[in-house]
Amino acid sequence: MPIKRLLIANRGEIAIRVMRAATELGIATVAVFAAEDKLSLHRFKADESYPIGKGLGPIQAYLDIDEILRVARMANCDAVHPGYGFLSESPEFAEACAGQKIVFVGPPPDVMRALGNKVSARRLAEEAGVPVMPATGPLPDDAQEIRRLAAEVGFPVMLKASWGGGGRGMRVVEDASGLLDQVDQGRREAVATFGNGEVYLEKLVLRARHVEVQVLGDSHGNLVHLFERDCSVQRRHQKVVERAPAPYLDEEQRDAICAAALGLARHAGYVNAGTVEFLMDADSGDFHFIEVNPRIQVEHTVTEQVTGIDIVRGQILIAQGARVGDTESSGVPAQEEIRLNGHALQCRVSTEDPENNFVPDYGRITAYRGATGFGIRLDGGTAYSGAVITRHYDSLLEKVTAWGPTAEVAVLRMDRALREFRIRGVATNLIFLENVINHPA
């Protein structure tokens, strides 16, 4: 059935991104906003907007399933898009939508439950014959058993939250001396961020490249990949610069890693947009599965630029029942028709202050000038003169994506674009980004 009214259960940049795709499809958009977001741009970009979370905190408002569905019913919405973050990986939210006969634009709850949990996803990968990184299962409460499991994997290890992403709950553990403290800290952060303190340990690759494969599947069993992205440039386990395609992969490696991603997705019965993530040893070239993100990713723009496929538009059409491989109905062609065209990279412009240990800055943007020109794409939610940046939410101002026929041209265009920005009133990471793209090592 065609979607006529779409509620976006999110805020900021990704909410506006979804609204644009929906508007192009002739779908009315409905925004929700917490009290702290009453002046946020996403509420004004939508056809209609409604306050949520009275008496709740700024984050909790966007995590209240009953409240969001109350607005969806009141506004006669027949579908909900969760964006990324917040409830985007919540099978309970997907189930609640189904219970109200509202289309959830994302994977089915059972698939989300199986893949959203990193430990469960590892088991599926093993069943599908995809190489996985040595790791434990969910850590028990017993301290002695935690030490034994860590020693079995072998230090150094990475502590990870079983649910959610974005670097939350992650800790590098060099040796046994700091193990238990790091586990306690990771559990507390996981509970605060995802509402679940389950964590596990994974072998740490010291010289690793982070490669992820974009997949799109429909409810009819059709599945394709849109090639890979490199997300190796990170700070505090948060991605800073993303590229597509990964420039260090040869065709044999590219075919192998994309085939592994499709194999896992098929085994899991994946539907809608998702990302299969791998770590690749920079020395040996071996790759291992680490997790699946069953949602749209922040960095999806680089894949769109090099394939020409609107992933968010595809998400919405797939949720309506369109078939992947039928370009006219879904906007997603068959695998043999998907081609790479040039190179793209994305930088995340934020209010993190490099001169103050990257602490996010807050206040009013007194002057703003963005970048423009050939090959430059901007996706923003709070980047404009007069915008008030609060401490309640992520410090992201704008995503800048540069495309070029070669990797070198894409980097030159990004460098030029970053230099064009003028943002006054709050500190930004622009100078840091310029240094990173010009000196990536």
Side-chain angles (χ1 to χ4, degrees):
M1 295 294 293
I3 294 171
K4 297 180 180 178
R5 295 175 61 80
L6 177 68
L7 183 144
I8 298 89
N10 216 296
R11 63 175 302 280
E13 174 269 323
I14 188 58
I16 293 172
R17 170 69 184 92
V18 173
M19 290 171 194
R20 286 173 171 154
T23 299
E24 290 175 8
L25 290 168
I27 298 171
T29 57
V30 176
V32 291
F33 61 95
E36 291 80 3
D37 256 343
K38 64 182 179 181
L39 300 178
S40 182
L41 191 60
H42 78 275
R43 71 163 291 198
F44 300 108
K45 287 282 189 182
D47 295 311
E48 299 173 19
S49 62
Y50 299 90
I52 56 169
K54 185 178 181 180
L56 298 177
I59 301 296
Q60 288 71 26
Y62 292 102
L63 295 173
D64 192 317
I65 293 174
D66 292 338
E67 180 75 342
I68 290 171
L69 289 181
R70 175 188 66 80
V71 173
R73 293 192 302 271
M74 179 181 67
N76 295 315
C77 294
D78 43 23
V80 169
H81 194 302
Y84 55 70
F86 293 128
L87 292 169
S88 63
E89 297 183 54
S90 169
E92 292 77 18
F93 184 40
E95 286 173 336
C97 288
Q100 298 290 332
K101 293 183 170 51
I102 294 173
V103 174
F104 178 82
V105 182
D110 57 336
V111 173
M112 192 181 299
R113 189 168 279 115
L115 292 175
N117 180 286
K118 297 182 181 67
V119 176
S120 171
R122 284 174 51 83
R123 294 195 197 101
L124 285 175
E126 290 175 321
E127 292 172 8
V130 176
V132 300
M133 193 68 69
T136 69
L139 292 182
D141 293 328
D142 181 76
Q144 185 173 346
E145 182 63 7
I146 292 174
R147 292 192 186 96
R148 187 192 70 78
L149 290 169
E152 188 175 276
V153 173
F155 291 99
V157 294
M158 179 72 80
L159 177 75
K160 289 187 172 184
S162 296
W163 294 94
R168 300 293 187 174
M170 292 179 68
R171 300 286 189 281
V172 173
V173 185
E174 299 283 356
D175 52 50
S177 62
L179 175 63
L180 298 181
D181 285 343
Q182 295 283 37
V183 169
D184 287 341
Q185 291 176 31
R187 279 174 168 161
R188 287 196 296 271
E189 186 175 12
V191 168
T193 308
F194 311 120
N196 189 313
E198 184 178 286
V199 295
Y200 69 101
L201 297 172
E202 182 179 272
K203 181 66 178 175
L204 178 65
V205 178
L206 295 176
R207 280 178 37 84
R209 286 167 167 159
H210 189 123
V211 188
E212 58 186 38
V213 179
Q214 178 73 57
V215 298
L216 273 169
D218 63 28
S219 57
H220 311 286
N222 303 301
L223 189 72
V224 296
H225 69 75
L226 307 187
F227 296 100
E228 84 289 347
R229 301 184 283 258
D230 169 74
C231 303
S232 303
V233 181
Q234 302 185 14
R235 192 184 65 78
R236 296 176 182 170
H237 313 306
Q238 290 275 12
K239 299 166 187 173
V240 175
V241 178
E242 298 93 2
R243 300 180 291 176
Y248 45 79
L249 292 184
D250 59 34
E251 287 307 308
E252 185 178 349
Q253 291 171 318
R254 176 167 290 114
D255 289 346
I257 205 165
C258 290
L262 283 182
L264 172 56
R266 284 197 185 95
H267 184 65
Y270 200 85
V271 176
N272 216 268
T275 306
V276 186
E277 305 201 358
F278 301 87
L279 282 183
M280 182 176 179
D281 191 311
D283 297 315
S284 69
D286 295 335
F287 64 87
H288 297 83
F289 166 79
I290 49 173
E291 64 186 58
V292 174
N293 283 299
R295 53 175 170 80
I296 193 72
Q297 292 273 89
V298 179
E299 58 273 19
H300 73 276
T301 60
V302 292
T303 297
E304 292 182 329
Q305 294 304 110
V306 297
T307 63
I309 296 171
D310 185 330
I311 298 171
V312 178
R313 185 174 188 270
Q315 282 190 292
I316 296 170
L317 293 173
I318 287 168
Q320 290 184 163
R323 292 177 179 270
V324 167
D326 181 350
T327 308
E328 187 174 342
S329 71
S330 69
V332 183
Q335 187 67 71
E336 61 273 13
E337 298 173 4
I338 300 173
R339 297 284 187 270
L340 286 171
N341 177 31
H343 292 255
L345 68 155
Q346 176 188 279
C347 288
R348 306 183 189 191
V349 179
S350 73
T351 64
E352 292 182 346
D353 186 354
E355 296 184 359
N356 187 26
N357 197 31
F358 291 92
V359 173
D361 195 17
Y362 307 102
R364 184 182 296 276
I365 297 178
T366 57
Y368 169 82
R369 185 183 79 199
T372 57
F374 190 83
I376 298 299
R377 166 180 170 175
L378 300 181
D379 291 75
T382 53
Y384 58 93
S385 295
V388 176
I389 310 302
T390 74
R391 66 184 64 251
H392 303 301
Y393 302 107
D394 186 90
S395 60
L396 177 68
L397 286 178
E398 194 142 41
K399 300 185 323 193
V400 190
T401 306
W403 177 90
T406 66
E408 292 75 15
V409 171
V411 169
L412 288 170
R413 284 182 176 160
M414 178 62 78
D415 180 57
R416 183 265 299 168
L418 294 173
R419 293 172 186 272
E420 282 188 14
F421 272 94
R422 294 293 183 271
I423 301 174
R424 302 288 183 261
V426 293
T428 72
N429 65 340
L430 282 167
I431 293 177
F432 168 72
L433 291 173
E434 288 178 35
N435 288 333
V436 167
I437 66 164
N438 287 298
H439 306 92

